Structures are given as C-alpha cells and as structure tokens.
Amino acid sequence: MRSSGPGPIETGAEVASSRHAFPRVEGEIRCGGFRLSELAKRFGTPLYVYDVRHLELRFREFEEAFRPLDLLVAYSVKANGNLALLSRLHRLGSGADIVSLGELFRARAAGIPAERIVFAGVGKTRMEMVAALQEGLYGLNVESAGELHLLDEVARELDVRAPVAIRVNPDVLPATPHEYTRTGHAHSKFGVPIDEALELYRWAGTRSSLLVRGIDVHIGSQIVDPEPYSEALSAVLAVVDRLQGEGISLEYIDLGGGYGVKYDGEEEFPLKAFAEAVVAALKGRKLRLVLEPGRYLVGEAGVMLTQVLYVKRSGGKVFVISDGSMTELLRPSHYGGYHLIERVVEDESAPMELVDIVGPVCESGDFLARDRLIRLPQPGDFLAVRTAGAYGFTMASNYNARPRPAEVLVDGEEVVLGRHREKLEDLIRGEVPQDGVPGSLTAPLGGTSSPKRD
Ligand code: LLP
C-alpha cells in the first residue's frame, strides 16, 4: 500500500452511480438521503457511517455471481462486527466466518444460525471448542495436528461429533499490498502443508468423534488478481480427489476471503470472471462452496468522518490535524494503507497543497495520509475517509484514553445509531481503583460524560 509519494488529486468530481457509495452531489458527499455534514453535526466526529443499501447491493452481487452453486456466504466478522450491520447481513441470508469466542457471540447475537458459521484461527482454546460444539457450528477449520487432537478429545468429552475441515496451506503468494495480509505461503503460521493435511484427514477418518466435513484455504486479503485463487483451488481439488480415492468424501470446500476492493484508482477483484472459473471448476462435483468475504462486502460501504482541528505549518510541511487518528483507523499507520480522503463539502477556491493528515495521538506514526495533494481544508471542515467500512472500527483502540467513535447506519432516508460513542466511564470499565472511590471530573462535560454527542 502506498505510504508516501503524492496521492491522487482530490477532484471533487461528481460520483453518482448507484454502484458507488457516498456520491458527491452538488458539491457535498452524501449517503442515502443525508448530507455527510449533517450526520457529522448530529452524531459528532470521528464517526463511522455505513450505507446499508450499498452493503445489500454487494451481498446480492456476490451471491448472484455464484448462483449455479450451492453457496454459503460466511461473512468474515472481523472486517466489521457491528451488531446492527451483522443483523442486516443475517437478514440477507449471510452466514459468518469467525475467529474467536467473541465473534461467535457477536454472530449469534445478530441471529446468524450456528449451522451457517465456520470457525477459523490457529489458536482455538478448549473453551472456544466447547462453545463451538455446543452451538453446533457448520465447521471448524482446523489449522494444526495439535488442534485436531484436542478437538477430538473435547468432542469425546461432550459426546458429540465435531465437524472438521482442515485448513491447507497451498504455498501460494498473492500480491497483496502488505506482507502482513498474505497467509497462504509456506512460511506463514496459517494452515497445514498439503502432505500433512492428508495424514490428518486419514487420522480424522478413523475417529468416531470427528466428522470429516470439508477443506479450507485462505490465502490473504485485498487480493485483486484471481490467479493465486485458481492455484489454491487446484491444490484443494487435488486433495479432495485424493481423499475420495481413499474413501473419504468431503461435503464442502471453503475458499476463504480476501477479494479486494478499490481504495484508489486500482482494480477491484474481478468477481464475475472469478466466479465463472470457480463454477466451471466445480461443475459435476457434489461440493458445497463456502466463501468468506469481508472487505468486499463492507469496505466501500463505510466512511469515517473526521473534523479538522488545526492546520499547522512546520519544517516545510503542512499538517492537517484532525480529530480522527490511528486509534479510530489503524490501517494507514499499521499497513501503510491508502484511503482516499476528501473534504465533505468541496471548496474549489481553496489552494491545492501537499499535506499530511494526522490525528491527536502522541505517536509520529499517527497519520491518516502522508504527502497528499488536496484542497487545503480549514479548521472546522469535515473530511471523509473513504473505504473505511472494513477493518476500520474493528481495529480501533482506546490508546491515549480515546473513547471509540459512534457508528451509524444509513438506509435510504433513515439513519440509525449502530453504536453509541464511548463515554469516559467506558474507558475505566472493569478497572479496579486501589484507593477507595474513584474520582471524577470536577465539571462533567456539558452535564454528560460523553465527549461528543452519541
Ligand atoms: N477468512 C479468513 C480465514 C481470514 O483470515 C480473513 C481475513 C477473511 C476470511 C476475510 O478477508 P477479507 O475478505 O476481508 O479480505 N486488517 C487487514 C486485513 C486482515 C485480514 C485478516 N483475515 C487490513 O486492514 O487490510
């Protein structure tokens, strides 16, 4: 991902296609029936805004592409686990891909049925296995021999059969924007090498407490070239055929997630072409297909709104200091992730300047954009950080004792609060003061402990 070098020029061009969320109409970015400045004023900033209609569009498009197949879309909860958003996905018929007991809790709280949930992750604990088995999940994607043995033991104790898929490591290296988001190569901690996977299947096939159900692969995230998926699919199908020959037949293959979106002018994942290739490859086979898209469904459906606090010139640089920071959106700082940032209300009279857009956090690595050419905003202006629906709020933290922001969902002419802005009390919830009664601020902020509205 780009971390330096001038970014594209903010054009303020009108983008009003229904395919694109957050169009700019008459100089202002909108979401459904709302101007983003209106939402920023009403709910405060920083603020996450999600366009539910766009999410629905993406979900349907995804399902449609694989229509001829028996498909389970297991939305990857880690991309955005907001309960309101999950409920909308559940209503659309989505399942879930989870990686922790917490995500299982979220998915179930949103109403997603257990038989539409798959559980990935290299470090499942005994407690997580117990919960997964008691809930009756569709599959546990097992990532090591040790995990398979423990699962066998736990299932025996509970007197149930654990539905198992082995996550294989096909040793492919997709060109993702950052090395942290490549998971299918030999040196990654994820999955099991194919030879070992065959051994594990053979062993699992002999255990009455294990139900060999599927095979899983996930090669990385923000991938736009379908080629590595084809390689992974061929590798997986070779294992399926080999096992079939040995009398072990599988019910599903899970190709994971990772389908890339547009952050800038780059290509997005060619979903239709990919889907056609997958449909052709699975033709004539009685295999259910599980896919775990996260970012593809929610990425473009979200923006983060932030307000400019100051504009500071220092050392030959221009710093636009906003109330949004790495604690609300970690991607630029952690992965050098690029997000298009635009003024919510355009002002064509403002000069173009090369700026760093930074937050208030006490870290030099706290930035939303570096060396970005934009029309210089003024204190009080709102900025929209685009394509922030995935891995935005979910990676937010309370670092520097910053309350996490509110999230709102827009559905056409309606807006609902999906999550309250955290209050100061939320920052110390669960902590134990050592000297009696905790203190408090002398004057509660405007009669409330909420730093901004909602
Ligand atoms: N399935 C598994 C097993 C995964 O590990 C992931 C993502 C997904 C599905 C969904 O991937 P998606 O379709 O959203 O690309 N925080 C990083 C991305 C980390 C992805 C982790 N695993 C970022 O902000 O780019």
Side-chain angles (χ1 to χ4, degrees):
M1 267 173 220
R2 275 199 274 156
S3 55
S4 61
I9 295 172
E10 177 205 349
T11 59
E14 305 238 333
V15 190
S17 138
S18 62
R19 181 71 179 69
H20 295 284
F22 306 99
R24 186 181 287 282
V25 183
E26 290 162 7
E28 174 153 5
I29 306 177
R30 298 186 187 225
C31 184
F34 299 89
R35 294 168 182 273
L36 290 189
S37 61
E38 187 187 334
L39 297 178
K41 285 177 199 151
R42 183 157 153 202
F43 296 99
T45 52
L47 176 73
Y48 275 97
V49 180
Y50 307 124
D51 182 341
V52 173
R53 299 254 167 110
H54 185 76
L55 171 67
E56 287 175 357
L57 194 105
R58 296 288 276 200
F59 187 87
R60 296 218 169 89
E61 177 189 298
F62 202 88
E63 266 197 335
E64 188 57 38
F66 296 90
R67 173 76 55 206
L69 298 176
D70 175 8
L71 174 71
L72 170 62
V73 180
Y75 166 69
S76 195
V77 173
K78 66 179 85 58
N80 188 330
N82 180 280
L83 200 59
L85 210 101
L86 285 181
S87 311
R88 304 298 288 239
L89 282 160
H90 161 50
R91 259 192 251 165
L92 291 169
S94 184
D97 149 53
I98 58 155
V99 290
S100 66
L101 184 57
E103 286 191 351
L104 174 58
F105 177 66
R106 277 190 178 281
R108 294 291 290 124
I112 297 177
E115 63 272 15
R116 297 179 80 76
I117 298 177
V118 291
F119 193 168
V122 295
K124 297 180 199 74
T125 62
R126 174 184 282 268
M127 194 211 285
E128 287 176 324
M129 289 178 184
V130 169
L133 296 178
Q134 284 174 341
E135 287 296 303
L137 300 196
Y138 183 56
L140 284 98
N141 295 336
V142 167
E143 306 216 19
S144 64
E147 185 189 338
L148 189 64
H149 293 146
L150 180 60
L151 185 60
D152 176 54
E153 190 182 305
V154 174
R156 240 181 312 127
E157 281 166 20
L158 294 177
D159 196 20
V160 294
R161 282 189 96 186
V164 167
I166 306 290
R167 174 169 173 178
V168 297
N169 182 321
D171 195 16
V172 299
L173 194 61
T176 71
H178 196 279
E179 59 164 317
Y180 292 174
T181 50
R182 294 166 207 154
T183 52
H185 57 93
H187 300 296
S188 126
K189 70 175 177 180
F190 297 100
V192 177
I194 290 198
D195 284 350
E196 189 187 341
L198 287 165
E199 288 302 316
L200 295 184
Y201 276 115
R202 288 176 192 128
W203 182 77
T206 64
R207 310 297 296 173
S208 58
S209 50
L210 298 178
L211 171 67
V212 174
R213 183 168 263 171
I215 182 164
D216 172 48
V217 66
H218 170 77
I219 56 175
S221 189
Q222 185 54 20
I223 299 168
V224 292
D225 175 9
E227 182 49 36
Y229 283 102
S230 302
E231 279 178 48
L233 178 58
S234 304
V236 162
L237 287 177
V239 175
V240 172
D241 289 341
R242 180 106 180 246
L243 291 174
Q244 184 76 47
E246 297 180 24
I248 301 174
S249 59
L250 302 184
E251 180 180 310
Y252 75 87
I253 65 169
D254 181 343
L255 278 183
Y259 319 106
V261 300
K262 268 191 211 297
Y263 280 98
D264 185 2
E266 85 262 54
E267 299 292 300
E268 74 171 358
F269 186 76
L271 186 72
K272 271 196 167 163
F274 170 69
E276 279 164 20
V278 173
V279 169
L282 296 185
K283 204 169 164 213
R285 292 173 178 269
K286 279 206 188 82
L287 278 172
R288 185 178 201 198
L289 177 66
V290 179
L291 296 173
E292 304 172 353
R295 189 183 329 247
Y296 193 87
L297 300 182
V298 294
E300 288 171 36
V303 295
M304 183 181 79
L305 297 181
T306 155
Q307 186 169 33
V308 176
L309 299 172
Y310 306 102
V311 176
K312 170 170 162 176
R313 293 177 190 270
S314 177
K317 293 199 62 132
V318 184
F319 294 99
V320 172
I321 302 171
S322 81
D323 63 4
S325 73
M326 66 187 286
T327 62
E328 291 79 33
L329 182 66
L330 186 61
R331 303 194 69 262
S333 168
H334 190 57
Y335 308 104
Y338 178 90
H339 288 259
L340 187 62
I341 303 180
E342 294 174 64
R343 291 169 61 133
V344 166
V345 180
E346 75 183 342
D347 175 4
E348 285 188 356
S349 66
M352 297 297 298
E353 293 243 25
L354 199 60
V355 306
D356 281 11
I357 302 172
V358 302
V361 169
C362 295
E363 293 268 352
S364 295
D366 173 29
F367 57 85
L368 298 176
R370 274 182 159 167
D371 297 324
R372 193 69 66 83
L373 198 56
I374 62 167
R375 288 204 185 277
L376 191 67
Q378 296 302 315
D381 285 350
F382 295 118
L383 302 177
V385 184
R386 287 190 181 263
T387 321
Y391 307 104
F393 189 95
T394 42
M395 297 183 80
S397 77
N398 290 123
Y399 185 45
N400 277 206
R402 291 170 59 82
R404 287 180 302 166
E407 297 174 283
V408 296
L409 280 73
V410 173
D411 185 351
E413 301 301 315
E414 273 180 41
V415 58
V416 292
L417 190 63
R419 182 187 179 108
H420 289 278
R421 182 176 304 284
E422 284 183 339
K423 294 182 176 10
L424 295 177
E425 287 82 354
D426 294 324
L427 295 174
I428 54 170
R429 187 150 31 97
E431 293 181 37
V432 184
Q434 294 301 298
D435 292 312
V437 189
S440 66
L441 292 180
T442 315
L445 303 167
T448 160
S449 58
S450 179
K452 284 205 186 185
R453 272 170 296 175
D454 273 309

